[in-house]
Amino acid sequence: MKNTGMRTSTSEEMSLYVKVILHYFYYHLTQLCCMRVRCQESGRCQEQCEEAEKRKSNTLLDKLEADDQQKEKQQILDQLLQKSTEIQDTLSEKQSLYQSEIQDLKNKNEELRRNVEKLDYKMKECSKTFEKARNELQVDNKLPHKNINFTEKASGPGNLSSISYTCQILIHHPYILQERQALLTFEKEEVAQGVIKKGRHKVDFNNVYEEVRACEVQLGRTMTFEVNMTISNTKVTVGNLPTDLPEETLKNKLELTFYKSNIGGSEIMGVDYDRSKNSACITYKENGVAQRVLKTPQHLVKVHGSMYEIMISPLIEIQLKKLQIFSGICQRTVLLEQIRNQAETEEDIKDLVEIHFQKSSNGGGEVENTAFSLKKQFVYFEEDKA
């Protein structure tokens, strides 16, 4: 009984001993596993820490680079702002300058507008003056009317085929006498030349002596020409001709019409037609036929059943010959300038000037004509026939 009890106690001890050993191994195994896990986790943490450090370094570098870029961009922004300020200031200055220039231009434009209005007014006044002067200077270009009667007919070779008329025409512009100027025409040329040579003269205006200046008179352009007018005895001009007829048909009809003796016609040498003027020239063989035909200036002509009224007129040829344009100096006339007397009337000044220059003691002589005016006027000179 006692031995059985001992075995039981020993087996229990052995079982307990095995459990303790197993527990010990399990504990150490567990510790080893935990240590292994901790080592693996520590390695991963180390890697994560290194990676985090790298990321931190990269972030710092990126931050530094971003700071540099920000500084650079800030500098660029500051420069742009400075330039913008400068540009704004420049624009403001230029705007002020342009505003000033625009105002100056407006003022100049207004001044120019006023000047234009003044010039327009002066132009109108000048046009009126020119029109008045033109009317005064206009030459009547109509030749004097002459009544010509045929008393007898020349015979043989003395027959005249035309009548000629010649006239001489002289055109000269008036001399413009300015205000407070005088013209003196002396009878003798040497007296006038002596007064001009002396130059300045002291004239007595009722005990008030004033100095005037004597000058020669320069005349404007003068034109002279000869007009020759020839009236044909053998040719007439036919006008107002129909434009819808052929030239040959019209020439034949004119020759048949003006050949007839009942209108004073005779043998015709030829008919010349001028389409540009719508007229024709008929030439007769005998002298004097043209005058007979011209007694009836209007004629009715029937062509292809239609009636046409035509007109005839003498053939007149006008020629301008011997045209001469010249200017000269009036030898016997003196121009007096710088007459400033305000007290005397126009007639009194004229008389006092004439009295002064009639005296030989003043270098003058007999005065033929005197002109003076307080305002501008036109003076006409005639050709000296002496």
Side-chain angles (χ1 to χ4, degrees):
M1 288 294 290
K2 287 183 182 180
N3 292 331
T4 305
M6 288 178 64
R7 292 189 192 105
T8 303
S9 176
T10 302
S11 60
E12 287 178 358
E13 289 177 357
M14 288 296 292
S15 176
L16 180 62
Y17 180 73
V18 170
K19 287 180 180 179
V20 170
I21 291 172
L22 290 174
H23 180 72
Y24 175 79
F25 281 109
Y26 176 77
Y27 173 76
H28 284 283
L29 181 63
T30 303
Q31 291 294 323
L32 289 174
C33 289
C34 290
M35 289 179 63
R36 184 178 179 181
V37 170
R38 288 191 190 97
C39 289
Q40 289 179 351
E41 290 178 354
S42 176
R44 284 198 297 272
C45 290
Q46 185 69 29
E47 291 177 358
Q48 290 178 355
C49 289
E50 291 178 358
E51 185 176 356
E53 287 294 331
K54 289 181 180 180
R55 285 199 300 269
K56 182 179 179 180
S57 299
N58 293 332
T59 303
L60 290 174
L61 291 175
D62 292 339
K63 184 176 182 302
L64 291 174
E65 185 177 358
D67 291 339
D68 293 338
Q69 290 179 355
Q70 184 178 4
K71 290 180 181 178
E72 183 178 355
K73 290 180 180 180
Q74 185 65 37
Q75 291 177 355
I76 295 173
L77 180 60
D78 293 339
Q79 292 176 359
L80 290 175
L81 289 174
Q82 184 178 359
K83 287 183 179 180
S84 176
T85 304
E86 293 176 356
I87 292 172
Q88 190 67 32
D89 294 338
T90 304
L91 287 176
S92 300
E93 293 177 0
K94 289 186 177 181
Q95 186 175 5
S96 301
L97 180 62
Y98 290 155
Q99 290 292 337
S100 177
E101 291 180 354
I102 288 172
Q103 188 62 37
D104 292 340
L105 289 174
K106 287 182 178 179
N107 296 334
K108 289 181 180 179
N109 186 34
E110 183 66 22
E111 184 179 357
L112 288 174
R113 188 185 63 79
R114 291 195 295 267
N115 291 336
V116 168
E117 291 178 355
K118 292 179 182 178
L119 290 175
D120 287 338
Y121 176 77
K122 288 183 180 180
M123 184 179 294
K124 290 178 181 178
E125 293 296 321
C126 291
S127 298
K128 292 179 181 178
T129 305
F130 173 76
E131 187 66 24
K132 183 179 178 181
R134 189 172 67 107
N135 293 333
E136 292 176 355
L137 297 175
Q138 191 170 10
V139 178
D140 189 1
N141 59 1
K142 295 181 180 179
L143 296 177
H145 179 71
K146 295 290 184 180
N147 293 321
I148 302 175
N149 296 321
F150 294 96
T151 57
E152 60 179 350
K153 181 179 180 181
S155 59
N159 287 347
L160 297 175
S161 61
S162 61
I163 301 172
S164 297
Y165 179 86
T166 303
C167 66
Q168 190 81 17
I169 297 178
L170 176 67
I171 301 175
H172 57 82
H173 297 284
Y175 183 82
I176 301 177
L177 184 64
Q178 303 294 336
E179 57 183 42
R180 297 197 167 275
Q181 289 184 344
L183 288 173
L184 290 174
T185 301
F186 295 93
E187 289 186 352
K188 295 182 179 181
E189 180 181 327
E190 55 269 20
V191 176
Q193 296 303 312
V195 171
I196 294 173
K197 185 176 181 181
K198 185 177 179 181
R200 297 195 172 273
H201 301 262
K202 287 188 176 181
V203 181
D204 181 8
F205 293 100
N206 290 330
N207 297 325
V208 178
Y209 289 89
E210 292 186 6
E211 190 177 75
V212 299
R213 189 163 69 97
C215 310
E216 61 183 15
V217 179
Q218 181 73 43
L219 299 179
R221 289 191 303 176
T222 301
M223 182 185 301
T224 178
F225 57 90
E226 183 179 285
V227 177
N228 293 337
M229 184 179 69
T230 302
I231 304 175
S232 177
N233 281 335
T234 59
K235 297 180 180 181
V236 294
T237 301
V238 185
N240 197 31
L241 298 175
T243 58
D244 55 347
L245 296 178
E247 182 176 339
E248 288 300 322
T249 302
L250 190 57
K251 290 170 67 175
N252 293 334
K253 190 61 181 179
L254 290 176
E255 188 171 351
L256 290 173
T257 301
F258 290 97
Y259 177 79
K260 297 175 182 180
S261 59
N262 61 344
I263 64 170
S266 180
E267 184 179 353
I268 294 176
M269 293 181 62
V271 178
D272 297 321
Y273 177 67
D274 188 350
R275 183 171 293 277
S276 62
K277 297 181 180 179
N278 194 30
S279 64
C281 177
I282 299 176
T283 304
Y284 290 98
K285 187 175 182 180
E286 298 179 3
N287 292 331
V289 178
Q291 278 67 35
R292 295 199 304 267
V293 175
L294 288 169
K295 291 180 180 180
T296 307
Q298 297 177 347
H299 294 269
L300 290 175
V301 178
K302 186 176 182 180
V303 183
H304 301 318
S306 300
M307 298 298 294
Y308 299 94
E309 184 180 25
I310 59 177
M311 309 288 292
I312 63 170
S313 59
L315 179 65
I316 302 175
E317 295 180 357
I318 298 177
Q319 293 181 334
L320 182 67
K321 296 182 178 180
K322 299 180 181 179
L323 175 64
Q324 293 180 343
I325 301 175
F326 56 90
S327 60
I329 299 174
C330 190
Q331 300 294 331
R332 296 194 299 116
T333 302
V334 178
L335 173 65
L336 298 179
E337 297 179 331
Q338 301 175 359
I339 302 176
R340 302 185 181 89
N341 187 279
Q342 303 286 341
E344 308 298 335
T345 64
E346 184 175 315
E347 287 298 323
D348 291 340
I349 293 176
K350 179 179 176 182
D351 293 339
L352 291 171
V353 168
E354 185 172 343
I355 291 171
H356 176 86
F357 284 98
Q358 278 182 338
K359 297 178 181 179
S360 58
S361 58
N362 295 326
E366 193 64 32
V367 177
E368 188 177 288
N369 196 4
T370 306
F372 175 77
S373 178
L374 294 175
K375 59 183 181 179
K376 186 188 299 184
Q377 67 175 0
F378 295 109
V379 179
Y380 295 90
F381 285 83
E382 295 180 353
E383 187 178 0
D384 198 346
K385 302 295 184 181

